[in-house]
Amino acid sequence: MTDRTGDRRGAANAATVLRTVLEHGPVARSGISELCGLSPAAVSRQTTGLLRGGLLRELPEPVGPTASGRPRIPLDLHTGAVGGPVAAGLHIGVPSSTFSLVDLRGQVLARRAFPYADPTDPRLAARIAHELAGFLARFDTGRPLIGVGAALGGWVRPDTGTVVRHPALGWRGMPLAADLSRALGLPVRVDNHARAVARAEILYGPPAARRSLVHLFIGNVVDAAFGIEGTVHQGPGSAAGDVAHLPVPESRAACACGRTGCLQATASDTALGAEAVRRGIVPDPSVPMLVDAAAAGDPRADGLLRERARAVGRAAALLLDVFNPAVMVVTELSSVLHEGYLDEIRGAATDRSHVCDEPGRIIAPHAGPAVLPQAAATVLLSPLFQDPGRVTSG
């Protein structure tokens, strides 16, 4: 029987080195050892492998001499235009999907939206794969493509690559990862979009997110995710994070479940768009159109967005009291684009919360409007930073 202890230790050490360079790079080998606690020999061994695998690169500028007088060559993640690997991102939404190319530091290098009129089209997954293939061909610069990370709402099982349930798309038990991989000829990983954003915050966001965070996603689908010490909780069957029926204090919105005041019925983009049309603010149930109207000075649009923000804040207060995270990240279009709406969320949440009186703990995603293109690719990049060899070897 083969003893895998050394392999596991080597994988853990490689991941430690890679994450240290992500957080502190450019940094010399001796600096990596000091920062992460690995021996100089272990760092040297792992950096050699990571350089060979194309995940790290040596920079030409030395960072100063060592005690022996030799210059220290800095290392950084390989994000160079020549040879730097990239991951493709696919966020599957209800009115549209978004394609992206993202480097190892989470920088979005290219992206494109793919709208569709009928999200329940039985050929939608095949159409998305076809359009994504065209996007990848158009933006092919010869850089190594690691694979595709796909994120979407609903109940998603990353371990099997299956969409268990996505009512808005009509998907049940769909083997999405396998279908996309077969169509594209690439490795594909899938996850729920709330967990994907949480992973992106842990990997690329503020240091406090690595301690603990709650992420609340408000779109056509409403989801949440919880992470602690750098690990995002999934629960049995990867079903954690379904907050669609979380009760929102003061809401009387009727929900399809038969109750009133559920978060999905109160604050989702679907509910907001319908209310905006009912009030005659916009002709179509489009939240981006509503946000544009508010930005152009329409007080009705601004008022409705602030109503939603306060409802989101009241729901956020419940999650703050349950989890008391170091950071709460809220992905909601108006507050991502305009901090005034984030302030509404903060105010309502801290007024209601029994444990959080610090508005600064409630933040928008660090990537701003690029949150979903980055998060989708992070579905693939996050495992790479946990086990570089497994991901790059396929």
Side-chain angles (χ1 to χ4, degrees):
M1 182 180 294
T2 303
D3 183 0
R4 306 292 293 178
T5 303
D7 291 344
R8 290 195 300 269
R9 185 182 300 115
N13 288 349
T16 296
V17 169
L18 196 63
R19 291 196 301 270
T20 300
V21 176
L22 169 65
E23 186 172 357
H24 300 283
V27 59
R29 289 172 176 79
S30 58
I32 297 172
S33 179
E34 294 166 2
L35 288 164
C36 71
L38 293 176
S39 70
V43 168
S44 178
R45 186 162 52 249
Q46 297 307 328
T47 54
T48 297
L50 293 168
L51 285 163
R52 187 181 301 121
L55 300 179
L56 294 182
R57 61 172 173 165
E58 291 184 331
L59 301 185
E61 303 85 2
V63 295
T66 64
S68 65
R70 296 177 180 174
R72 297 185 298 168
I73 305 300
L75 300 176
D76 203 356
L77 299 181
H78 197 341
T79 57
V82 178
V86 295
L90 164 62
H91 177 256
I92 301 175
V94 175
S96 65
S97 288
T98 304
F99 312 139
S100 59
L101 281 177
V102 178
D103 70 16
L104 295 180
R105 283 204 172 275
Q107 298 300 308
V108 177
L109 307 176
R111 60 174 162 172
R112 182 172 77 81
F114 170 49
Y116 25 83
D118 182 8
T120 62
D121 178 359
R123 286 190 45 79
L124 180 59
R127 291 180 59 209
I128 289 172
H130 176 76
E131 293 291 331
L132 177 56
F135 169 81
L136 295 176
R138 178 183 176 188
F139 290 98
D140 181 10
T141 61
R143 297 173 67 164
L145 179 59
I146 301 170
V148 179
L152 69 163
W155 182 359
V156 182
R157 289 196 59 168
D159 56 341
T160 62
T162 304
V163 180
V164 180
R165 182 178 69 229
H166 194 307
L169 298 178
W171 292 356
R172 283 185 174 270
M174 175 177 285
L176 182 63
D179 289 351
L180 290 174
S181 183
R182 185 165 49 250
L184 297 167
L186 292 166
V188 177
R189 293 174 183 263
V190 303
D191 204 349
N192 168 273
H193 56 198
R195 290 196 293 260
V197 174
R199 293 184 196 283
E201 293 299 314
I202 289 169
L203 198 58
Y204 301 116
R210 300 180 187 88
R211 299 200 301 271
S212 62
L213 89 161
V214 167
H215 171 232
L216 179 58
F217 184 96
I218 304 292
N220 286 289
V221 177
V222 174
D223 289 312
F226 172 62
I228 187 165
E229 297 298 331
T231 299
V232 177
H233 178 66
Q234 298 197 49
S238 302
D242 187 345
V243 294
H245 301 286
L246 185 75
V248 180
E250 301 178 17
S251 172
R252 296 179 179 82
C255 183
C257 74
R259 294 179 291 181
T260 60
C262 295
L263 182 56
Q264 178 82 27
T266 301
S268 69
D269 281 4
T270 303
L272 182 67
E275 181 63 16
V277 171
R278 190 189 71 79
R279 297 187 188 186
I281 302 172
V282 292
D284 299 308
S286 165
V287 174
M289 189 181 295
L290 181 66
V291 172
D292 288 346
D298 188 328
R300 300 171 302 161
D302 177 69
L304 182 55
L305 289 172
R306 290 183 185 277
E307 284 180 31
R308 190 206 9 207
R310 289 190 290 271
V312 170
R314 295 195 297 273
L318 300 176
L319 297 174
L320 284 166
D321 287 352
V322 171
F323 294 103
N324 192 25
V327 172
M328 166 165 264
V329 181
V330 180
T331 300
E332 183 272 338
L333 181 61
S334 65
S335 60
V336 167
L337 296 175
H338 305 288
E339 190 161 2
Y341 300 114
L342 180 61
D343 287 337
E344 292 280 6
I345 294 173
R346 288 167 169 161
T350 52
D351 284 348
R352 288 274 179 171
S353 174
H354 297 283
V355 302
C356 179
D357 59 1
E358 305 167 60
R361 284 167 61 183
I362 303 169
I363 62 174
H366 76 279
V371 53
L372 293 176
Q374 183 195 72
T378 304
V379 173
L380 189 73
L381 292 170
S382 181
L384 182 146
F385 281 90
Q386 296 297 322
D387 187 348
R390 184 181 64 178
V391 175
T392 55
S393 64

